[in-house]
């Protein structure tokens, strides 16, 4: 069956293109974990789902932080189309607290700036931003033309910092859209700058709780972070910093005071997790808060890590309390969802994480893939040493991360970690990837093309397809419901226990309505 799919699509492409695409279409085997081609440039002419490096830097990593002014240095379209479309929410603690999320800042480059340079315009934009808002920090994000004409955003940032007596933290990002293969390069560039300009700047230890954690790779889409914050609070766990859902600059500056980092989206933030460990001795473990069972598992890991009976009891109490409602909601929708099939083609982590939620509904994921995941996100981190460094990777600045002799502190011994690993599958410094969790014979496709998507639907008729806005209406016109797993359509939150309940109800509604049968697919 799979062979049929691969042969059919590969044959339709020009020979060379077909040969290349074939390496990204894999028949899964969780025992042997076959090699997949990933994180390479999309072939020109193919309609990809991917976004650009600027999007991954400005939109994804820095976008959710409310008290930094993010200036897009470039033509207005780049700023405009990255303005609030990701639905990352934020909640200032007081009315006086700065919140710039709802604004769109751009230098609005014109032809003349392209010809004569845009640095003066950028300086002017920074001055205006300071005059109007007096922010704590300003980030400057380079778009494609900035790289092409050679404006030096880092130098401008330095000059402007001096102009304000270094009282405002101003720094730039070389995240031109074309710099990497996809938005994934933008994550890496953003992570580097967070480390260089913010992490470790403030030793203040906030909060009284004994257990202090960071949550990395959770971006508060549709309010996910709010749900998780509430759970941690109930358990008596202090969330020092989330990278970067519902975050502030101070959270990043104080992240090194935590004792454990939990990594949710491995693709976008694993660099920061490693930096925090190398510099400050904070271990990181892999978790997933998408799915009620996954959430319970993640909480149990934290409790085990801190080795505290009181915390363990509290966590069990919270799980029991929340699970009562989860089980009720699940039972109610199961008759509508059980036995259905799904396909997930999203980003660099959700195509994996959301399979847990679907399986709680009895829905099997028969095909999945990332837009921009790397081989380690598919095959697990153990393949990292064998991944070849190519020219595109070299485009991203390599920074040296060193041990902070004064502030490095060993949180837990290696022996203790090994012991916990055996007892509860801690996943310390480990991500097993998507393939290990999918069935034998499932289809795994990296950087799915629009044509391949059409073929998938025609050949396999899934009951629900998960992707983004570019795919949504095309797929629905074929009579298959599409759930956006980027911005959750207008729904969510979907994380944690409460989020799982929302998801159950939304998906049950989508797969059980009879409207889809009324639509005629183009091939029918
Ligand atoms: Fe990570 Mo859309 Fe995240 Fe992932 Fe990343 Fe993006 Fe979104 Fe998607 C993201 S950071 S914006 S979990 S919040 S770039 S939904 S990899 S593509 S699957």
């Amino acid at each position: 069956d799979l062979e049929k799919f691969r042969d059919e699509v590969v044959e339709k492409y020009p020979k060379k293109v077909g040969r290349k695409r074939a390496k990204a279409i894999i028949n899964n085997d969780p025992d042997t974990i076959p090699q997949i081609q990933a994180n390479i440039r999309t072939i020109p002419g193919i309609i990809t789902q991917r976004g650009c490096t600027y999007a991954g830097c400005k939109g994804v990593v820095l976008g959710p932080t409310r008290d930094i002014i993010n200036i897009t240095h470039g033509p207005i379209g780049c700023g405009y189309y990255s303005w609030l479309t990701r639905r990352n929410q934020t909640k200032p603690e007081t009315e006086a607290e700065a919140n710039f999320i709802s604004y769109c800042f751009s230098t609005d480059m014109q032809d003349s700036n392209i010809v004569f340079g845009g640095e003066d315009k950028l300086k002017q934009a920074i001055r205006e931003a300071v005059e109007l808002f007096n922010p704590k920090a300003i980030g400057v994000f380079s778009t494609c033309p900035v790289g092409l004409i050679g404006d030096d955003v880092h130098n401008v940032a330095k000059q402007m910092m001096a102009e304000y007596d270094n009282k405002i933290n101003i720094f730039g990002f070389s995240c031109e859209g074309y710099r990497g293969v996809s938005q994934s390069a933008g994550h890496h560039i953003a992570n580097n700058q967070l480390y260089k300009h913010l992490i470790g700047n403030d030793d203040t230890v906030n909060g009284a709780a004994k257990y202090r954690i960071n949550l990395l790779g959770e971006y508060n889409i549709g309010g996910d972070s709010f749900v998780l914050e509430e759970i941690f609070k109930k358990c008596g766990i202090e969330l020092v910093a989330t990278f970067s859902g519902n975050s502030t600059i101070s959270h990043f500056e104080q992240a090194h005071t935590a004792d454990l980092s939990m990594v949710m989206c491995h693709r976008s933030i694993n660099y920061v997790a490693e930096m925090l460990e190398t510099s400050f001795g904070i271990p990181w473990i892999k978790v997933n808060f998408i799915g009620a069972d996954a959430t319970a598992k993640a909480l149990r890991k934290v409790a085990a890590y801190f080795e505290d009976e009181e915390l363990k009891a509290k966590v069990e109490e919270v799980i029991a309390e929340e699970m009562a409602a989860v089980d009720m909601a699940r039972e109610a929708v199961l008759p509508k969802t059980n036995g259905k099939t799904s396909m997930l083609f999203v980003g660099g982590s959700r195509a994996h994480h959301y399979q847990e939620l679907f399986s709680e509904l009895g829905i099997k994921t028969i095909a999945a893939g990332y837009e921009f995941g790397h081989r380690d996100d598919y095959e697990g981190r153990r393949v990292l040493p064998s991944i070849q460094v190519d020219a595109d990777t070299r485009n991203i600045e390599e920074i040296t991360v060193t041990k902070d002799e004064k502030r490095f502190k060993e949180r837990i011994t290696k022996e203790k970690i090994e012991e916990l690993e055996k007892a509860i599958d801690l996943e310390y410094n480990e991500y097993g990837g998507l393939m290990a969790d999918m069935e034998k014979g499932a289809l795994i496709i990296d950087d799915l093309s629009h044509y391949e998507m059409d073929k998938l639907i025609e050949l396999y008729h899934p009951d629900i397809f998960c992707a983004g806005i570019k795919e949504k209406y095309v797929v629905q016109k074929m009579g298959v419901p599409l759930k956006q797993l980027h911005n959750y359509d207008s729904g969510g939150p979907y994380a944690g226990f409460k989020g799982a309940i929302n998801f159950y109800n939304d998906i049950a509604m989508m797969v059980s309505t009879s409207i889809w049968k009324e639509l005629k697919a183009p091939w029918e």
Side-chain angles (χ1 to χ4, degrees):
D1 211 15
L2 167 99
E3 301 302 323
K4 189 176 153 208
F5 173 80
R6 189 164 42 198
D7 291 349
E8 249 190 86
V9 300
V10 164
E11 203 175 276
K12 276 281 179 336
Y13 290 126
K15 239 199 182 125
K16 233 173 116 184
V17 174
R19 253 193 314 226
K20 224 170 167 185
R21 281 306 299 153
K23 291 184 202 152
I25 304 170
I26 301 291
N27 190 353
N28 190 46
D29 184 345
D31 299 321
T32 59
I33 311 253
Q35 182 173 331
I36 189 165
Q37 167 187 278
N39 192 35
I40 64 150
R41 291 205 166 240
T42 305
I43 301 157
I46 280 186
I47 305 180
T48 171
Q49 298 180 295
R50 282 174 168 172
C52 69
T53 299
Y54 157 82
C57 186
K58 187 262 185 185
V60 173
V61 179
L62 270 296
T65 309
R66 62 177 167 267
D67 59 351
I68 180 171
I69 285 191
N70 291 328
I71 300 180
T72 299
H73 187 32
I76 197 64
C78 304
Y80 182 79
Y81 286 104
S82 58
W83 184 18
L84 293 181
T85 44
R86 187 159 168 255
R87 294 189 71 238
N88 44 259
Q89 303 182 1
T90 199
K91 204 187 276 163
E93 278 160 31
T94 64
E95 242 171 70
E97 207 191 303
N99 176 13
F100 307 121
I101 296 264
S102 52
Y103 293 93
C104 174
F105 301 93
S106 170
T107 51
D108 183 20
M109 271 182 133
Q110 302 294 322
D111 297 4
S112 62
N113 307 123
I114 304 286
V115 176
F116 300 108
E119 292 186 2
D120 286 338
K121 201 169 190 194
L122 175 58
K123 285 181 191 164
Q124 200 45 43
I126 294 172
R127 286 188 194 108
E128 273 177 42
V130 173
E131 234 168 76
L132 286 169
F133 298 102
N134 191 30
K136 237 174 124 169
I138 296 178
V140 177
F141 298 84
S142 304
T143 56
C144 294
V146 169
L148 296 173
I149 65 173
D151 275 5
D152 187 343
V153 296
H154 306 286
N155 194 36
V156 169
K158 229 182 269 164
Q159 285 177 22
M160 293 311 288
M161 247 179 107
E163 194 171 307
Y164 294 106
D165 299 324
N166 293 329
K167 287 196 182 96
I168 303 170
N169 193 354
I170 306 174
F171 49 98
F173 296 82
S174 291
C175 57
E176 295 84 356
Y178 60 79
R179 189 167 279 269
V181 164
S182 67
Q183 50 268 65
S184 166
H187 304 149
H188 197 165
I189 292 161
N191 283 209
N192 284 351
Q193 298 302 74
L194 286 178
Y195 180 79
K196 275 168 45 182
H197 298 280
L198 294 170
I199 292 170
N201 281 2
D202 178 2
D203 288 330
T204 312
V205 176
N206 267 324
K210 276 191 281 181
Y211 329 106
R212 301 174 55 77
I213 62 155
N214 294 322
L215 180 58
L216 309 186
E218 156 46 50
Y219 298 93
N220 204 18
I221 310 304
D224 279 354
S225 297
F226 299 149
V227 173
L228 301 179
E229 285 168 11
E230 196 190 303
I231 295 175
F232 293 135
K233 206 168 167 194
K234 262 180 145 179
C235 296
I237 297 164
E238 181 77 31
L239 185 57
V240 180
T242 300
F243 287 70
S244 56
N246 196 28
S247 66
T248 66
I249 290 296
S250 290
H251 297 165
F252 298 149
E253 291 178 328
Q254 297 165 2
H256 65 292
T257 68
D259 293 316
L260 173 70
S261 293
M262 298 181 151
V263 173
M264 179 125 150
C265 168
H266 171 264
R267 182 63 270 134
S268 61
I269 209 85
N270 68 84
Y271 320 95
V272 165
E274 286 183 359
M275 291 164 188
L276 284 171
E277 177 152 34
T278 309
S279 282
F280 304 101
I282 308 171
W284 70 266
I285 58 171
K286 179 73 183 68
V287 295
N288 177 22
F289 283 103
I290 300 299
D293 293 337
T295 301
K297 189 178 162 195
L299 291 174
R300 289 189 174 116
K301 282 189 194 181
V302 188
Y305 170 85
F306 284 107
E307 295 192 277
D308 185 296
E309 291 311 316
E310 199 186 317
L311 178 64
K312 281 183 194 165
K314 190 74 212 167
V315 159
E316 289 307 327
E317 191 189 311
V318 170
I319 292 172
E321 196 185 303
E322 299 273 350
M323 272 300 192
V326 167
D327 288 338
M328 244 171 64
R330 205 170 79 97
E331 299 288 297
V333 300
L334 259 178
K336 293 179 182 168
T337 58
N338 199 23
K340 304 244 187 243
T341 58
S342 65
M343 292 186 174
L344 280 66
F345 289 92
V346 226
S349 83
R350 291 189 171 174
H352 183 194
H353 287 160
Y354 273 79
Q355 292 192 28
E356 295 226 28
L357 256 181
F358 276 114
S359 71
E360 288 174 7
L361 289 168
I363 298 178
K364 192 162 103 178
T365 304
I366 53 172
Y370 300 123
E371 289 168 49
F372 52 77
H374 297 200
R375 273 185 60 205
D376 39 319
D377 302 304
Y378 287 103
E379 301 169 51
R381 278 176 73 88
R382 70 191 154 298
V383 302
L384 277 174
S386 64
I387 295 179
Q388 268 168 351
V389 180
D390 58 12
D392 282 311
T393 316
R394 284 198 195 93
N395 250 347
I396 304 162
E397 183 194 13
E398 244 336 300
I399 64 167
T400 335
V401 178
T402 51
K403 185 169 169 177
D404 186 315
E405 293 296 346
K406 271 204 213 111
R407 294 182 291 178
F408 185 96
K409 190 175 85 203
E410 191 186 59
R411 265 65 172 191
I412 189 168
T413 62
K414 289 273 174 283
E415 293 78 50
K416 193 73 224 172
I417 283 181
E418 264 171 44
E419 197 183 298
L420 287 172
E421 203 70 87
K422 277 191 202 118
I424 60 148
D425 187 19
L426 194 65
E427 292 177 275
Y428 164 70
N429 281 12
E430 178 52 17
Y431 175 43
L434 166 147
M435 285 172 157
D437 283 342
M438 286 189 75
E439 277 186 19
K440 194 177 163 84
L443 249 175
I444 315 243
I445 308 175
D446 181 65
D447 188 19
L448 181 81
S449 77
H450 198 100
Y451 169 68
E452 291 158 16
M453 180 183 79
D454 283 4
K455 272 283 163 211
L456 274 180
I457 290 173
E458 188 186 328
L459 289 171
Y460 302 99
H461 305 284
D463 294 300
I464 188 159
F465 196 92
C466 296
I469 191 64
K470 298 195 289 289
E471 295 80 32
K472 185 170 177 93
Y473 298 103
V474 180
V475 171
Q476 294 198 158
K477 280 176 188 167
M478 297 182 213
V480 171
L482 187 144
K483 178 68 193 168
Q484 291 193 68
L485 280 192
H486 298 270
N487 70 356
Y488 302 161
D489 294 304
S490 46
Y494 292 141
F497 303 107
K498 297 219 163 60
I501 296 173
N502 290 336
F503 194 77
Y504 299 162
N505 291 332
D506 289 354
I507 296 304
M509 205 152 51
M510 289 183 87
V511 297
S512 62
T513 167
S514 59
I515 187 71
W516 309 112
K517 291 190 202 81
E518 307 298 327
L519 292 159
K520 214 170 147 77
W523 59 82
E524 282 172 349

